[in-house]
Amino acid sequence: MHGVVTLGAGIAGLSFSYHFNHLTEIYEKEGSWGGHCRSHSTEGFTFDRGIHISFTKDDYVRKLFAASVADQYGEFSPVVYSVFASHWVRHPVETNLKGLPAELVAQCLIDFIRAEQNRDRPAGNYREWLISSFGRTFAERFHSVYSRKYWTVDPEYLTTEWVAQRIYRPTLEEVLRGALSDQFCNVYYIDSFRYPAKGGYQSFLRLMAAEAVIRYGFELVELDLKNKKLIFSNGFQRYYDTLVSSIPLPELIRCIKDLPAEVKEAASRLAHTSVVLVNLGVKKGDLAKCHWFYVYDEDFLPARVHFSSNLSGSNAPPGCTGIQAEIYHSTFKPLKVPAPDVMERAIENLIEIGILAKDDDIILTDYQDLQYANVIYDRNYRKNRELILDFLEKNHIYCIGRYGEWAYLWSDQSLLSGKRVAEKLGGDTF
Ligand SMILES: Cc1cc2nc3c(=O)[nH]c(=O)nc-3n(C[C@H](O)[C@H](O)[C@H](O)COP(=O)(O)OP(=O)(O)OC[C@H]3O[C@@H](n4cnc5c(N)ncnc54)[C@H](O)[C@@H]3O)c2cc1C
């Protein structure tokens, strides 16, 4: 018996192990656990891999996270802004138009009212959905701009299967109230969130990692399906009976020799974005206007910026502010500026919109490039993904997590994905 082997020690792999009574060995290419939920500290500042907050409604996950940090977490109502041409309005803009140029507000309202008639018309793609949900002006001036910045593609390229849990379609009354009054209308999908008091987001995973058997520095490079054998970059070989994989689906497929042509073809069409994270430590304590903000301007490099020190005071030394800017890119939209210049451009952008001043003392600059950020939901996404996952499962390989399942999963959903497979394989009977 070679047992059940797990690939990847992110939240999904750790959750699988935890719910499988740790009767599995995890092979992880990096030197530490956490994957995309990992946090790193440098010179007194702690940064996550892109903003990470827990807004799960799942009671089981909430308790597990809380127990991991011995109930030491902050609970927040999010303060989030949309920035448009130097105007700051509360997010989402659809229900908080007041403060934007009058002509733009009028056009948004006229188009929203016109769109009401088409509201329930089936949409062939994300762009059509935006226009029928919000009207042309909202769609073009805000969502399409953000689509190109975050998804790195035009909205017509995307399907709508991911929108339901993320984008609220306000009523006319909510839009009008937001345009005419100062009363903040919160229809954002995050109404409250938690964040660990210490150690960054990664701390929420502590309990699951505590007894996991993890072998670090083991990067899968070859997978022999016939003999159920794994080969790692350090030359180590390992047989398995069942394989649970949380590593990105295209990476896993790349490791497999002698694949059926249609599986290879489907995998070559899986698309995703990458993200560059610009982390800044500033010696000034009162820079944060909010928890995070979105910028609807394509000349402003980052899509989203957050203040890490506003999530937890322990994320920055006293009197300092931690800032992280996210810049997305992909094969569809390569980085506009050469990688080494991204830092400088992001700082210039933050000065332009008044977050930083020219003479601010930036005492830390740090840069990370994450190869996998978001799965792109294009027209063939569902067909290709299902074909691959089906083929793998027939070969006793179960894929879990955001990049294993190849879906737009938040961390709680990635955790539950690992738990589900543990239960399927008998973990609930231990
Ligand atoms: C920018 C950004 C912001 C996010 N914000 C939030 C948020 O606010 N709240 C929220 O709940 N979720 C958020 N998420 C989603 C969350 O990060 C994911 O759902 C979760 O981290 C996915 O975990 P995972 O275990 O599935 O994958 P991963 O964390 O990617 O784990 C996979 C592991 O496999 C390892 N690996 C890869 N290749 C190999 C190989 N060949 N051999 C061995 N090991 C390998 C990796 O090193 C990694 O440790 C965000 C994601 C991103 C990208």
Side-chain angles (χ1 to χ4, degrees):
M1 288 287 284
H2 302 295
V4 179
V5 170
T6 306
L7 297 174
I11 194 167
L14 293 174
S15 165
F16 172 75
S17 177
Y18 178 77
H19 295 100
F20 204 65
N21 235 4
H22 295 304
L23 295 174
T24 184
E25 253 182 282
I26 306 178
Y27 290 87
E28 165 58 52
K29 75 170 181 183
E30 291 199 16
S32 178
W33 52 267
H36 282 77
C37 290
R38 207 164 137 198
S39 313
H40 77 283
S41 296
T42 172
E43 296 172 42
F45 291 90
T46 299
F47 294 102
D48 299 318
R49 294 188 164 186
I51 181 170
H52 273 77
I53 51 168
S54 177
F55 46 89
T56 182
K57 303 271 184 250
D58 187 285
D59 207 39
Y60 176 79
V61 178
R62 284 164 75 91
K63 284 186 178 143
L64 193 52
F65 280 0
S68 288
V69 295
D71 289 326
Q72 300 298 300
Y73 58 83
E75 185 123 37
F76 305 88
S77 293
V79 181
V80 187
Y81 278 87
S82 295
V83 184
F84 176 85
S86 79
H87 299 277
W88 289 68
V89 295
R90 289 294 291 264
H91 189 77
V93 67
E94 299 89 76
T95 52
N96 296 288
L97 280 170
K98 186 132 190 257
L100 290 179
E103 186 49 38
L104 176 65
V105 174
Q107 208 49 58
C108 283
L109 292 177
I110 293 165
D111 282 355
F112 188 89
I113 293 164
R114 279 196 190 125
E116 285 265 280
Q117 302 146 25
N118 300 325
R119 206 171 155 103
D120 297 318
R121 190 188 280 177
N125 58 47
Y126 180 43
R127 180 166 195 270
E128 287 178 14
W129 184 87
L130 287 171
I131 293 175
S132 65
S133 300
F134 305 119
R136 202 167 283 280
T137 305
F138 270 125
E140 285 173 0
R141 303 294 288 274
F142 297 99
H143 296 277
S144 299
V145 170
Y146 197 69
S147 175
R148 288 189 287 276
K149 291 185 77 174
Y150 183 73
W151 292 105
T152 71
V153 290
D154 280 312
E156 47 266 52
Y157 193 79
L158 298 171
T159 66
T160 55
E161 55 207 299
W162 55 275
V163 297
Q165 54 176 349
R166 308 228 169 206
I167 309 181
Y168 176 73
R169 297 166 107 183
T171 61
L172 177 58
E173 187 181 331
E174 287 167 331
V175 176
L176 286 174
R177 281 190 193 284
L180 300 172
S181 83
D182 286 322
Q183 200 186 327
F184 167 52
C185 175
N186 188 10
V187 295
Y188 191 37
Y189 64 87
I190 303 173
D191 53 10
S192 73
F193 70 88
R194 292 178 177 181
Y195 190 86
K198 279 192 205 140
Y201 195 76
Q202 180 169 11
S203 302
F204 275 151
L205 281 55
R206 246 188 243 149
L207 203 59
M208 291 186 288
E211 288 176 39
V213 183
I214 308 172
R215 307 196 67 180
Y216 294 112
F218 284 74
E219 179 178 4
L220 182 76
V221 287
E222 207 175 313
L223 169 47
D224 175 350
L225 281 183
K226 197 158 147 261
N227 297 303
K228 292 188 159 187
K229 189 168 86 170
L230 305 167
I231 303 176
F232 295 88
S233 55
N234 56 10
F236 181 77
Q237 302 191 359
R238 168 76 152 91
Y239 290 88
Y240 64 89
D241 292 316
T242 301
L243 184 64
V244 175
S245 171
S246 68
I247 73 174
L249 206 48
E251 305 280 328
L252 181 71
I253 291 294
R254 211 169 295 136
C255 293
I256 304 177
K257 304 277 167 264
D258 304 325
L259 275 175
E262 76 266 21
V263 178
K264 216 174 182 170
E265 169 74 12
S268 73
R269 295 186 186 283
L270 297 178
H272 67 93
T273 62
S274 306
V275 63
V276 166
L277 303 172
V278 167
N279 302 325
L280 304 174
V282 190
K283 203 169 170 191
K284 203 172 186 183
D286 56 355
L287 288 179
K289 283 177 183 271
C290 54
H291 290 114
W292 67 94
F293 62 89
Y294 301 93
V295 185
Y296 297 90
D297 173 352
E298 284 174 88
D299 289 332
F300 185 93
L301 206 51
R304 178 168 62 181
V305 178
H306 85 275
F307 297 95
S308 49
S309 45
N310 243 16
L311 303 179
S312 162
S314 73
N315 278 348
C320 295
T321 303
I323 305 177
Q324 185 181 72
E326 297 170 26
I327 298 130
Y328 290 84
H329 60 105
S330 70
T331 50
F332 303 99
K333 185 188 173 198
L335 275 179
K336 255 194 206 168
V337 290
D341 298 342
V342 167
M343 171 74 64
E344 206 178 316
R345 263 299 283 285
I347 293 173
E348 279 167 17
N349 283 162
L350 290 168
I351 293 172
E352 279 154 24
I353 62 162
I355 291 295
L356 293 175
K358 276 204 170 103
D359 57 354
D360 276 341
D361 190 5
I362 302 176
I363 53 177
L364 174 86
T365 53
D366 184 32
Y367 173 99
Q368 287 167 281
D369 195 353
L370 306 185
Q371 194 188 348
Y372 289 91
N374 291 312
V375 165
I376 296 182
Y377 284 72
D378 58 24
R379 229 171 343 114
N380 296 312
Y381 159 82
R382 183 184 288 268
K383 190 178 74 187
N384 291 331
R385 169 185 181 265
E386 274 168 18
L387 189 145
I388 299 166
L389 293 180
D390 194 47
F391 168 80
L392 291 172
E393 203 160 317
K394 283 191 185 122
N395 283 281
H396 309 277
I397 299 174
Y398 297 91
C399 292
I400 57 171
R402 181 183 252 227
Y403 307 100
E405 278 200 49
W406 203 247
Y408 195 8
L409 304 185
W410 287 308
S411 63
D412 56 329
Q413 296 169 310
S414 298
L415 185 160
L416 292 171
S417 156
K419 179 174 183 276
R420 254 190 321 273
V421 170
E423 285 162 0
K424 184 169 178 165
L425 298 182
D428 53 344
T429 58
F430 296 127

